[in-house]
Amino acid sequence: MLKNVLKIIPWCALFWAGNANAAINVAVIAPQVGEFKHFGNELINGVRIAVDDINSQGGVKGERVNLVVVDDQCDDTFAVSTAQMMAVNSSKEDRMNLVVGPYCPNAFEKVSDIYAKANIFQIIPTTISAREATKNHKGLVKMVGYKDRQGKDFYNYYKNNFADKRVALVYDSNNREIVEIAAAIQGEFRKEGDADKLRAFSFETYNQNYGRLADAIFKNNIDLAYILGKSRSIAKLSKELKSEKKDFVIFTNKYQAQDDFNRIMGDLAEGSYFIALPSLKDNPNFAETLVKLRLLGVEPEGLSVYGYSAVKLWEELVEKADSFSYNKLASVLNSQSVDTGWGETMFNNGNPQNSINYGIYQLQSGEYTQVY
C-alpha cells in the first residue's frame, strides 16, 4: 500500500500534504535540500496551489485529490527506489494517479519506464534534456519542451542587442546536460553564419584556474561570455572577468547560478543576464490564470507557475477523457489540443508542438527583471 512507502523511504523525504483518505493521489517530486531546493520548493508550491484549488471546487470528477510531496534529493538511486515503491501500489485508494516531475534528471529513462509500466501518468513541468529523455511513453508529458531551446533564445537576444561583440561560451565538459546546451548554442551561431564570433572554452581545460581562463578570454578580444557549469565556478569566473573589465557582459543559466553567484560577485553581479523559463505574467494567454491566482491570494513566482499548470493540464485531460485511466488520458493527449496555461497546443508522443521560449532576465537593483 502507498502508506507502506514510509517504511522504506526516509521519513524526511516524503509526506502527505492533503487528505490521506482521498482516493486520487498526485505526487510532486522535487528537491527540498541541497543547491536546488529553492527551485524545488517553487515547483511544490505551485502543485499545492493547484491541488487546493481543485479540492475547493469539489475535486476532480467528484474525487478529492491527495498531495504527496517527495524530496528525491536529486539522487539517482533514491529517484529509482521512489518510483519502484509508487509503482507497486495498485488499489484505488493507494495508487498514484499523477506524478509531477522529477525536477532533476535522476536516472530519468529508468524512472519514466517504471511509471509507464505501472500506468502512472507523468508530467515534466520544466524543460528536460533531450539526452536524458530519448524515449517516449504515451503517458509521459514533456510539457515545456527541451533545454536546448535556450541556444536559439540566447542567440536571438544576442543578435538583437550585442551583435557587435565576440562571445566566449564557457562550459563544464563533464556534464552531459551542459554539453547539450553548449552544442545547441554553437549550432545556432553556425546556422546563422556567426561561427567566427563564438569561441568555446571548457573549465576542465584550465583546471578550474579562473584567472588563467579569464586571461585567455581577454586575449581573444572577447567582452561577452555565456557561462554554464557549477554555481561556484560560474561565480568565480564571472568575478575575474568583471573585476578586470567592469563593462564585460555576463550571461548564465539561472538554475545553475545559485546563491554562490550573488555572494561571490557582490556588487559586480549587477547587470548580469540570466536565462530561465519565462514568468508568464506578461503572456496574454496566461492572463486568465493569473487573475484567478491573484483572486486566490497567490502571486506566482518562478517555477510555481509551471507546477500549477502541470496539475491543471492533468485535470483538463481527466475531464475530457471522463476518466482517470492512463490509456484514456494518453489518448486525449495525443488527439486533442489542450491548455498548457500559456496557450493551447497539441502534443505528439508527449512532446509539445512548440517548445516554450526561454526568458532573459537582467539583475537590476538586486531584482531579476525580465527583458525578453
Side-chain angles (χ1 to χ4, degrees), residues 197-240:
K197 292 186 176 180
L198 183 73
R199 174 72 186 273
F201 301 83
S202 75
F203 282 111
E204 289 67 37
T205 299
Y206 293 85
N207 196 29
Q208 307 298 316
N209 186 323
Y210 307 108
R212 192 159 64 92
L213 177 51
D215 287 342
I217 290 171
F218 286 127
K219 284 178 182 177
N220 280 273
N221 298 315
I222 292 170
D223 46 15
L224 183 153
Y226 188 5
I227 310 173
L228 297 161
K230 295 179 179 178
S231 179
R232 187 174 178 82
S233 296
I234 293 171
K236 283 186 168 292
L237 176 58
S238 297
K239 187 172 183 178
E240 289 282 349

Side-chain angles (χ1 to χ4, degrees), residues 140-196:
L140 169 63
V141 185
K142 301 159 190 174
M143 188 175 76
V144 177
Y146 293 97
K147 291 183 184 292
D148 59 4
R149 170 72 204 200
Q150 64 190 277
K152 184 176 183 64
D153 293 326
F154 167 69
Y155 176 81
N156 288 341
Y157 191 78
Y158 159 80
K159 192 68 175 177
N160 290 330
N161 297 274
F162 299 105
D164 59 325
K165 296 184 182 295
R166 287 173 51 79
V167 180
L169 173 61
V170 187
Y171 65 99
D172 180 348
S173 61
N174 289 326
N175 185 303
R176 290 176 59 193
E177 184 176 294
I178 287 174
V179 169
E180 179 182 342
I181 297 170
I185 294 169
Q186 291 172 305
E188 285 297 321
F189 274 77
R190 281 196 301 271
K191 184 176 72 175
E192 300 298 334
D194 281 330
D196 61 320

Side-chain angles (χ1 to χ4, degrees), residues 190-364:
R190 281 196 301 271
K191 184 176 72 175
E192 300 298 334
D194 281 330
D196 61 320
K197 292 186 176 180
L198 183 73
R199 174 72 186 273
F201 301 83
S202 75
F203 282 111
E204 289 67 37
T205 299
Y206 293 85
N207 196 29
Q208 307 298 316
N209 186 323
Y210 307 108
R212 192 159 64 92
L213 177 51
D215 287 342
I217 290 171
F218 286 127
K219 284 178 182 177
N220 280 273
N221 298 315
I222 292 170
D223 46 15
L224 183 153
Y226 188 5
I227 310 173
L228 297 161
K230 295 179 179 178
S231 179
R232 187 174 178 82
S233 296
I234 293 171
K236 283 186 168 292
L237 176 58
S238 297
K239 187 172 183 178
E240 289 282 349
L241 294 168
K242 293 285 284 187
S243 295
E244 180 70 23
K245 189 176 182 181
K246 289 289 193 297
D247 61 349
F248 194 93
V249 181
I250 300 292
F251 278 81
T252 188
N253 183 291
K254 186 180 179 183
Y255 308 118
Q256 293 171 18
Q258 304 291 306
D259 294 340
D260 283 335
F261 189 85
N262 289 327
R263 179 178 59 79
I264 292 173
M265 289 282 285
D267 292 341
L268 293 175
E270 183 72 9
S272 298
Y273 291 89
F274 300 82
I275 294 182
L277 290 174
S279 70
L280 301 179
K281 290 182 180 181
D282 296 324
N283 186 320
N285 292 313
F286 192 70
E288 184 178 344
T289 301
L290 182 60
V291 170
K292 182 177 182 178
L293 289 172
R294 285 174 172 168
L295 288 174
L296 292 171
V298 175
E299 186 65 31
E301 297 294 339
L303 296 180
S304 64
V305 169
Y306 297 91
Y308 177 89
S309 297
V311 178
K312 299 301 282 186
L313 171 61
W314 168 77
E315 180 189 26
E316 180 183 348
L317 291 172
V318 171
E319 295 293 348
K320 286 185 173 181
D322 194 26
S323 173
F324 294 102
S325 161
Y326 176 88
N327 289 322
K328 289 182 179 179
L329 295 182
S331 177
V332 171
L333 176 73
N334 289 291
S335 63
Q336 300 182 36
S337 65
V338 288
D339 185 10
T340 57
W342 46 89
E344 291 276 331
T345 191
M346 292 289 296
F347 284 85
N348 180 22
N349 288 323
N351 297 297
Q353 194 173 52
N354 296 303
S355 179
I356 196 169
N357 291 355
Y358 274 84
I360 310 289
Y361 297 78
Q362 187 178 30
L363 196 61
Q364 299 176 355

